[in-house]
Amino acid sequence: MTVPNIALPDGTSIPQLGFGVFQVPPEDTAATVAQAFEAGYRHIDTAQMYGNEAGVGEAIRTSGLARDDLYVTTKLNNSFHRPDDARREIDASLEKLGLDQVDLFLIHWPLPTQYDGDFVQTWRALIEAQEAGKTRSIGVSNFQPAHLDRIVEETGVVPVVNQVEVHPFFTNEDVRAANQRHGVLTEAWSPIAKGKVMDDDTIGEIASLVGRTPAQVTLRWHVQRGDIVFPKSMNPDRMRQNFEIFDFELEPTHMSAIDELDRGEEGRTGPNPDTFDWIP
């Protein structure tokens, strides 16, 4: 099964489906990513805060896969927003991953109430890293429309992606609209709402109709909306199921029914980026 590549605004492209390693224990990461490679995944999404970049790097080194066949994303830790810290830690990520260059480096959170509210300085550090060839592309994560507008207005450099919480119960339309306005692609974290889609009657009924699992139906909903997704599972069977979403389509009525599950802010499962201020 072939995963579509989506063109990014900087001329590169990204596989629409990837494998996320959020909350995968560091000691289990290499084996888990190796299983993901066996299932067919070639896009891996990690972060400094996950503490498992080294495991991802080990899996890459022992995979036998060509570097050009892989897409690797990592993200800047909230502790390192000052430019000098960001520069140092970008190099540290490359060392842990065992790579000369990642495909995509993101600011993990804007932290508007920290660092004097100056996340633009952090964005400039990523721009420098891209210019130095340490990352092919740069983007952001959890940026609200105002955050996105500000970095674009002050630097003229548009992120290729904005990785934000999106799932049927929190479709995050304001952010998706802001992304679209700037030509930024939406990456959906928590795409199956931390498993909550498994218990939803509407998604369950659609899954029965199309002969798929609720997770597959939800991931297919994302894909047909144009989102980039990277579900996480440490279960090899679920890894394979989550990968098998490109050989069927949802009808427009199915898509609309899932759209209607949106609960707005009440459906959010993670922190609100306007107030999230955690620095580890």
Side-chain angles (χ1 to χ4, degrees):
M1 193 170 298
T2 302
V3 175
N5 282 325
I6 298 182
L8 294 174
D10 64 358
T12 65
S13 62
I14 185 171
Q16 190 172 13
L17 175 68
F19 184 78
V21 296
F22 175 58
Q23 293 184 333
V24 175
E27 64 272 18
D28 297 327
T29 301
T32 300
V33 174
Q35 289 175 328
F37 287 153
E38 290 176 11
Y41 295 88
R42 295 295 182 267
H43 169 185
I44 305 298
D45 183 278
T46 184
Q48 293 176 349
M49 276 195 286
Y50 302 168
N52 54 21
E53 288 174 311
V56 171
E58 181 182 345
I60 291 170
R61 286 192 300 275
T62 59
S63 69
L65 296 169
R67 175 66 183 92
D68 289 346
D69 292 336
L70 299 175
Y71 195 97
V72 181
T73 298
T74 194
K75 312 176 194 74
L76 187 70
N77 192 309
N78 290 354
S79 302
F80 307 131
H81 273 220
R82 300 293 186 200
D84 286 345
D85 294 336
R87 296 183 190 103
R88 181 188 68 246
E89 293 304 320
I90 289 168
D91 289 341
S93 280
L94 292 174
E95 183 175 354
K96 289 173 184 175
L97 289 162
L99 301 175
D100 295 325
Q101 181 187 65
V102 292
D103 298 283
L104 178 60
F105 214 110
L106 308 180
I107 299 176
H108 206 151
W109 289 88
L111 304 177
T113 64
Q114 297 285 352
Y115 301 105
D116 302 317
D118 190 3
F119 46 80
V120 178
Q121 66 176 346
T122 314
W123 182 235
R124 293 188 192 279
L126 264 65
I127 294 170
E128 290 177 11
Q130 183 182 32
E131 291 172 344
K134 296 177 182 180
T135 178
R136 291 174 67 214
S137 300
I138 53 175
V140 294
S141 182
N142 301 300
F143 271 49
Q144 299 281 69
H147 306 148
L148 193 60
D149 291 344
R150 181 178 168 194
I151 61 170
V152 174
E153 289 169 4
E154 295 192 28
T155 69
V157 178
V158 179
V160 295
V161 302
N162 187 9
Q163 185 179 122
V164 294
E165 181 178 354
V166 180
H167 49 75
F169 312 125
F170 182 64
T171 57
N172 213 348
E173 295 303 329
D174 288 346
V175 170
R176 292 181 81 251
N179 290 346
Q180 188 172 22
R181 184 175 71 250
H182 286 289
V184 176
L185 272 70
T186 299
E187 290 192 322
W189 64 256
S190 194
I192 58 174
K194 300 180 180 178
K196 293 179 181 178
V197 300
M198 309 302 184
D199 300 321
D200 183 80
D201 290 342
T202 297
I203 294 174
E205 290 173 8
I206 295 170
S208 295
L209 287 171
V210 300
R212 298 287 173 150
T213 69
Q216 286 174 318
V217 165
T218 304
L219 294 172
R220 183 66 205 181
W221 171 79
H222 280 285
V223 165
Q224 289 183 213
R225 281 160 46 97
D227 296 343
I228 300 161
V229 288
F230 34 91
K232 187 268 290 189
S233 177
M234 295 179 68
N235 181 301
D237 290 336
R238 292 199 191 97
M239 284 184 197
R240 287 189 289 271
Q241 288 175 355
N242 291 342
F243 191 79
E244 295 169 351
I245 59 172
F246 297 102
D247 58 350
F248 76 102
E249 289 191 8
L250 297 177
E251 298 290 340
T253 54
H254 298 157
M255 294 291 294
S256 297
I258 297 174
D259 290 343
E260 291 173 3
L261 298 175
D262 180 36
R263 302 172 188 163
E265 196 65 26
E266 291 183 3
R268 190 190 290 274
T269 65
N272 187 314
D274 285 322
T275 56
F276 186 60
D277 62 357
W278 182 67
I279 297 178

